[in-house]
Amino acid sequence: MKRNEAENKISDGSLKKEMRVRPIKHGTVIDHITAGQALNVLKILGISGTTTAVVSVAMNVPSGVLEKKDIVKIEDRELKETEVDRISLIAPDATINIIRDFEVIDKHRVELPLQLEGVMKCDNPNCISNTVEPVISKFTVNKKPVELRCIYCDHVISEGIAEHLI
Amino acid sequence: MLRHIISMKDFSNDEIDIILKRAKDFEPIARGKKSSLLSGKILATLFYEPSTRTRLSFETAMKRLGGEVIDLGPVEKSSVAKGETLADTIRVIGNYADAIVLRHPREGSARMAAQFSNVPILNAGDGAGHHPTQTLLDLYTIMRESSLSNLRIALVGDLKYGRTVHSLAYALSMYHADMTLISPKQLQMPDVIKKDLKKQGASITETTNMEDVLGDIDVLYVTRIQKERFPDPAEYQKVAGIYRVTVELLEKAPDNLIIMHPLPRLDEIDPAVDRTKYARYFEQSFYGVPVRMALLAMAMEVV
Ligand SMILES: Nc1ncnc2c1ncn2[C@@H]1O[C@H](COP(=O)(O)OP(=O)(O)OP(=O)(O)O)[C@@H](O)[C@H]1O
Ligand SMILES: [Mg+2]
Ligand SMILES: [Zn+2]
């Protein structure tokens, strides 16, 4: 799709509601983010106020019947696997859309991995993984509900997951 | 593959049964019969936290099997005081000894040590985490002095902070024991642990009253309420001494009831109880030797 076609698409009634900002040529759209988690997604991606990337964020967008969602769109960036793993923890229903030449060329839902390495900090201050020892934090993952169990100390993290992300 | 002993969660029922059976075979040696099963083998004991009975019973077990023991000694005087990591200490000691017994104040330390060790690690307590050799000796005591099948057991005291009791409850759930948890409200077993137990199919009843359940159990497992675990001394004062096993209390007890305690005890069991037919806590501490023999043999013997 050419740029002007894309813009035409925007003026098309059905899409106009969602496309409040200009479309992106190349980049990534993270859609269906659990409402309220957009800023945590930005944090995971290392995007702060000083970023030079072109980023748009939509929060509490009506989606489906009554549901709300957040959306994050970033130009000229593809996500690393470890970033997607982190996003899956706070937004288990998110979809990653790869945009090329204004088109969605690939779409997949994030998936919680069975194990997480070096992604979270154990919340037990007395855990061996929170010391000078040469170990990387490691958790086994329970998907529903999302529960992370430290393989070292057995502590379970089920709430405030975003705060424990490294 | 190296057989580390880190957590009860690493064992299947069959493996536990094999260890308990092996321990039974070692009982005569634990009582003094000569053995050279582990002669030429060296066990290293690394205690970063004080312990007398666990360390001594490991040493006894090793020596009675004909092996030698080397000890890290007081931590303040060792390389640890110079800031060496546990990972490095384990790699160094693993080149001297054939197995390492480790007690360390951090949860998960034994699991980590196993990743760095080229000899088996036997976890003798990792902070508030696991203490599997204590659990195995508790199971052994129940097997020898009562029965592990259709077991009805009450766990009394600090069920919140007591690591011994968490490991034991987990293991008992593998034997489908009927468990009664007796503690003051502030010291109830944490929900995460209860959830784990229920997942295993355990039946659990919670109460604050010890007297009421005495008639319906086979084993009364008493634990100490530890002052050091309480952030607030006033909170400790509220619960200190609330459960006290006395001869009078035991009047209602069935004949075959046994009383266990991981020791050391404070005042939760009156010394007069020692002379009753119910007391088994000194047998229990002796059984630590044959059980640790079984584990040392598993870790080091050449087959
Ligand atoms: N060029 C673009 N620039 C910016 N956002 C885009 C672009 N193309 C698509 N999007 C956004 O990416 C997301 C996925 O686009 P798609 O056209 O697949 O929508 P959809 O059919 O609603 O997908 P889904 O079934 O995943 O909800 C939507 O939020 C859409 O607004
Ligand atoms: Mg959509
Ligand atoms: Zn941990």
Side-chain angles (χ1 to χ4, degrees):
Chain A
M1 200 187 317
K2 295 273 159 343
R3 160 68 97 139
N4 50 353
E5 277 177 75
E7 273 161 1
N8 287 343
K9 198 176 168 189
I10 308 310
S11 55
D12 173 290
S14 62
L15 269 175
K16 204 171 183 178
K17 284 191 198 103
E18 235 178 77
M19 294 272 206
R20 286 159 213 266
V21 283
R22 75 182 178 109
I24 54 183
K25 185 160 190 260
H26 302 304
T28 303
V29 174
I30 310 163
D31 197 0
H32 304 288
I33 297 169
T34 311
Q37 294 296 332
L39 296 178
N40 285 325
V41 169
L42 294 181
K43 211 166 107 194
I44 289 166
L45 300 176
I47 296 169
S48 64
T50 57
T51 189
T52 54
V54 180
V55 178
S56 58
V57 178
M59 301 206 284
N60 300 314
V61 177
S63 163
V65 194
L66 278 173
E67 301 285 339
K68 295 180 295 177
K69 65 173 179 181
D70 289 359
I71 310 169
V72 170
K73 304 185 181 190
I74 319 150
E75 276 184 48
D76 298 316
R77 171 136 174 205
E78 284 198 17
L79 307 190
K80 295 191 206 99
E81 202 177 311
T82 54
E83 290 168 337
V84 178
D85 282 355
R86 286 172 168 82
I87 291 169
S88 72
L89 283 168
I90 56 165
D93 299 319
T95 48
I96 310 287
N97 299 275
I98 312 291
I99 312 291
R100 281 257 201 296
D101 285 322
F102 301 106
E103 293 270 18
V104 176
I105 59 143
D106 188 28
K107 178 199 296 283
H108 59 267
R109 208 166 144 169
V110 297
E111 203 186 335
L112 267 173
L114 292 172
Q115 278 212 341
L116 284 171
E117 246 186 279
V119 167
M120 303 272 294
K121 188 172 142 50
C122 179
D123 72 343
N124 170 13
N126 204 42
C127 176
I128 197 74
S129 70
N130 288 323
T131 63
V132 298
E133 297 294 335
V135 279
I136 299 168
S137 77
K138 201 164 169 181
F139 294 83
T140 55
V141 178
N142 183 59
K143 299 196 181 190
K144 259 183 185 159
V146 178
E147 281 178 349
L148 309 171
R149 188 182 288 261
C150 172
I151 71 139
Y152 293 101
C153 76
D154 263 356
H155 267 244
V156 173
I157 303 178
S158 54
E159 281 161 18
I161 287 174
E163 285 106 75
H164 295 100
L165 288 166
I166 296 173
Chain B
M1 217 189 79
L2 289 183
R3 186 67 225 239
H4 303 289
I5 314 278
I6 307 298
S7 153
M8 287 311 292
K9 295 186 179 170
D10 304 333
F11 291 97
S12 68
N13 271 49
D14 286 349
E15 287 171 320
I16 295 174
D17 288 339
I18 290 168
I19 294 165
L20 300 184
K21 220 158 130 199
R22 197 81 205 272
K24 182 98 193 289
D25 297 338
F26 281 128
E27 247 189 62
I29 301 169
R31 294 184 198 280
K33 191 183 152 211
K34 280 243 170 303
S35 166
S36 56
L37 186 79
L38 295 182
S39 89
K41 298 288 181 189
I42 294 176
L43 175 70
T45 54
L46 269 56
F47 280 76
Y48 290 76
E49 259 186 351
S51 145
T52 37
R53 72 209 71 228
T54 303
R55 187 167 55 82
L56 285 179
S57 82
F58 262 114
E59 278 191 35
T60 305
M62 187 64 183
K63 289 183 171 169
R64 287 215 190 272
L65 288 174
E68 307 272 337
V69 179
I70 56 173
D71 185 70
L72 175 74
V75 167
E76 317 80 65
K77 292 187 186 139
S78 72
S79 55
V80 176
K82 301 184 188 114
E84 185 175 55
T85 60
L86 175 63
D88 279 1
T89 305
I90 292 290
R91 282 183 280 201
V92 171
I93 307 288
N95 288 331
Y96 304 155
D98 300 291
I100 296 173
V101 175
L102 175 69
R103 169 167 296 182
H104 192 278
R106 293 273 186 175
E107 284 97 71
S109 50
R111 176 100 44 218
M112 185 204 77
Q115 291 172 357
F116 287 95
S117 180
N118 51 10
V119 297
I121 298 287
L122 293 97
N123 183 9
D126 58 337
H130 304 282
H131 192 2
T133 70
Q134 175 72 45
T135 302
L136 288 163
L137 83 85
D138 289 342
L139 293 178
Y140 185 73
T141 306
I142 295 169
M143 181 191 93
R144 292 285 280 114
E145 304 291 334
S146 179
S147 170
L148 280 167
S149 57
N150 302 317
L151 174 67
R152 298 167 306 164
I153 185 169
L155 307 172
V156 192
D158 173 5
L159 307 185
K160 184 175 179 185
Y161 302 106
R163 67 176 160 206
T164 314
V165 110
H166 297 165
S167 287
L168 178 60
Y170 182 86
L172 290 170
S173 70
M174 296 170 73
Y175 285 88
H176 308 294
D178 189 334
M179 277 181 264
T180 306
L181 308 178
I182 308 170
S183 69
K185 286 261 182 293
Q186 308 91 300
L187 293 177
Q188 277 179 353
M189 189 169 281
D191 286 338
V192 254
I193 295 177
K194 279 187 287 198
K195 233 169 93 187
D196 267 6
L197 298 178
K198 286 180 185 148
K199 235 190 254 167
Q200 294 270 329
S203 107
I204 298 174
T205 318
E206 283 185 292
T207 172
T208 54
N209 186 314
M210 176 162 64
E211 242 170 299
D212 292 352
V213 301
L214 276 185
D216 305 307
I217 53 172
D218 308 304
V219 178
L220 181 68
Y221 193 103
V222 185
T223 65
R224 185 157 59 100
I225 294 180
Q226 283 176 284
K227 198 176 180 172
E228 3 8 315
R229 304 282 190 205
F230 285 81
D232 179 0
E235 282 299 306
Y236 171 72
Q237 284 312 326
K238 279 189 210 156
V239 294
I242 79 165
Y243 298 115
R244 215 172 127 71
V245 182
T246 60
V247 173
E248 298 76 68
L249 182 91
L250 291 168
E251 272 163 17
K252 295 179 200 145
D255 280 350
N256 60 353
L257 176 78
I258 67 165
I259 300 172
M260 294 170 62
H261 190 297
L263 304 180
R265 71 173 145 178
L266 290 179
D267 55 2
E268 56 276 353
I269 300 179
D270 190 286
V273 174
D274 302 357
R275 291 185 297 272
T276 68
K277 61 187 171 202
Y278 306 114
R280 290 296 192 288
Y281 25 95
F282 294 112
E283 283 82 354
Q284 183 185 356
S285 73
F286 163 71
Y287 289 141
V289 177
V291 167
R292 290 182 173 115
M293 282 177 166
L295 297 171
L296 291 171
M298 245 174 62
M300 282 179 277
E301 80 190 322
V302 247
V303 265

